[in-house]
Amino acid sequence: MSFGNLAKMAQQMQAEMARVQGELETLPVQGSAGGGAVTATATGKQELVSIAIDPDVVDPADVEMLQDLVTAAVNDALRTARSEAERRMAAITGGLRLPGLG
């Protein structure tokens, strides 16, 4: 394999990674807690977009429980976003973790 072919392959991989990163910016992923009582929506770029809370779980006497549910739902959404990004990038890189490429 010549250096020219290798450079061309690297450019193609970079273009594909840029495309996937663009898709991840708008990809909605959800996480939930409390059996769906709290749902967090994030993007594939791990940015929180919204939180939905079932009014039945809002108890002024137990704010700590609601805080825990929100935290768990957000963490679930962010884990899902990370997992999806890793899955999509691995499809491009053949599973190799290349520094500086996503």
Side-chain angles (χ1 to χ4, degrees), residues 2-92:
S2 73
F3 181 74
N5 287 342
L6 188 58
K8 187 173 186 173
M9 286 175 57
Q11 285 177 332
Q12 289 173 339
M13 185 183 292
Q14 270 188 318
E16 185 66 10
M17 291 180 76
R19 182 190 63 77
V20 168
Q21 287 174 337
E23 289 176 359
L24 289 171
E25 287 179 12
T26 59
L27 176 73
V29 295
Q30 287 194 334
S32 64
V38 177
T39 303
T41 302
T43 68
K45 294 289 280 185
Q46 301 179 44
E47 295 175 347
L48 187 62
V49 175
S50 67
I51 295 178
I53 301 172
D54 182 338
D56 293 338
V57 299
V58 178
D59 179 359
D62 193 4
V63 173
E64 188 174 312
M65 181 203 57
L66 182 57
Q67 291 169 334
D68 290 344
L69 288 174
V70 169
T71 301
V74 169
N75 285 332
D76 188 36
L78 296 179
R79 270 191 302 276
T80 301
R82 250 187 324 276
S83 176
E84 183 63 18
E86 288 172 3
R87 183 187 71 76
R88 289 178 182 220
M89 288 299 176
I92 296 168

